[in-house]
Amino acid sequence: MTTQAELDDRYGRTKRSTTRLWIGIAAIIGLVAVVGIGWTVVQKSRANVGFDDLGFEVVDSGHVDVHYRVTIPTDDEAVCVIEALDESFAKVGWEIVDVPESDSLSSEHSTTVRTVDTATTGHVVSCFVR
């Protein structure tokens, strides 16, 4: 009768092939981890949108102009949320604005926000990549 060791020798099954299997599995796990970390870094760097309030101008009791600068990676579009507040810091108006892609890193914009009462300030709340 043939022993298991003789069969392993005859068909090339050795402890070495098991070691190779575990090295292959570890390499695949490592590759998946590297790809996952790389993807996360790329997505976080794309999502960086900066904005600066440049000022505001109260037009009348129903409108305020908000001036701001948006910094986004080129060839990306952004969306910004603009709001107007009254003297007690209550929200009296807001607007969601699309910021189109631009050849330059930063671009200046002005948005007129309709209000339900006289605003005393207007500013950008947030911006994010579309």
Coordinates of all heavy atoms in Angstrom, one line a residue, residues 46 49 76-79 97-99 128-130:
R46 N -9.5 65.1 -3.8 CA -10.4 65.7 -4.8 C -11.5 66.5 -4.0 O -12.1 67.4 -4.6 CB -11.0 64.6 -5.6 CG -10.2 64.1 -6.7 CD -11.0 63.1 -7.5 NE -12.2 63.7 -7.9 CZ -12.5 64.0 -9.1 NH1 -11.7 63.8 -10.1 NH2 -13.7 64.5 -9.4
V49 N -12.4 71.6 -1.1 CA -12.9 72.8 -1.7 C -12.8 73.9 -0.6 O -13.2 73.7 0.5 CB -14.4 72.6 -2.1 CG1 -15.0 74.0 -2.6 CG2 -14.6 71.5 -3.1
D76 N -13.1 70.5 -12.0 CA -14.2 70.0 -11.1 C -15.2 71.1 -10.9 O -14.9 72.2 -11.0 CB -13.6 69.7 -9.7 CG -13.0 68.3 -9.6 OD1 -13.4 67.4 -10.4 OD2 -12.2 68.0 -8.7
E77 N -16.4 70.6 -10.6 CA -17.5 71.6 -10.3 C -17.8 71.5 -8.8 O -17.6 70.4 -8.2 CB -18.8 71.2 -11.1 CG -18.6 71.3 -12.6 CD -19.9 70.9 -13.4 OE1 -20.8 70.4 -12.7 OE2 -19.9 71.1 -14.6
A78 N -18.3 72.6 -8.3 CA -18.6 72.6 -6.9 C -20.0 73.1 -6.6 O -20.7 73.7 -7.5 CB -17.6 73.5 -6.1
V79 N -20.5 72.9 -5.4 CA -21.8 73.4 -5.0 C -21.6 74.2 -3.7 O -20.9 73.6 -2.8 CB -22.8 72.3 -4.8 CG1 -24.1 72.9 -4.2 CG2 -23.1 71.6 -6.1
V97 N -25.8 77.2 -4.8 CA -25.3 77.8 -6.0 C -24.3 76.8 -6.6 O -23.5 76.2 -5.9 CB -24.5 79.1 -5.7 CG1 -23.9 79.7 -6.9 CG2 -25.4 80.1 -5.0
D98 N -24.5 76.5 -7.9 CA -23.5 75.7 -8.7 C -22.3 76.6 -9.1 O -22.5 77.7 -9.6 CB -24.2 75.1 -9.9 CG -25.2 74.1 -9.6 OD1 -25.1 73.4 -8.6 OD2 -26.2 74.1 -10.3
V99 N -21.1 76.1 -8.8 CA -19.9 76.8 -9.2 C -19.3 76.0 -10.4 O -18.9 74.8 -10.2 CB -18.9 76.9 -8.0 CG1 -17.6 77.5 -8.5 CG2 -19.5 77.6 -6.9
F128 N -18.7 72.1 -1.6 CA -18.2 70.7 -1.8 C -18.2 70.4 -3.2 O -18.9 71.0 -4.0 CB -19.1 69.7 -1.0 CG -20.5 69.8 -1.2 CD1 -21.2 69.1 -2.2 CD2 -21.3 70.7 -0.4 CE1 -22.5 69.2 -2.4 CE2 -22.7 70.8 -0.6 CZ -23.3 70.1 -1.6
V129 N -17.4 69.4 -3.6 CA -17.3 69.0 -5.0 C -18.6 68.3 -5.4 O -19.2 67.5 -4.7 CB -16.1 68.0 -5.2 CG1 -16.1 67.4 -6.6 CG2 -14.8 68.7 -4.9
R130 N -19.1 68.6 -6.6 CA -20.3 68.0 -7.1 C -20.1 66.6 -7.5 O -19.2 66.2 -8.0 CB -20.8 68.8 -8.3 CG -22.1 68.3 -8.9 CD -22.4 69.0 -10.2 NE -23.2 70.2 -9.9 CZ -24.5 70.2 -9.8 NH1 -25.2 69.0 -9.9 NH2 -25.2 71.3 -9.6

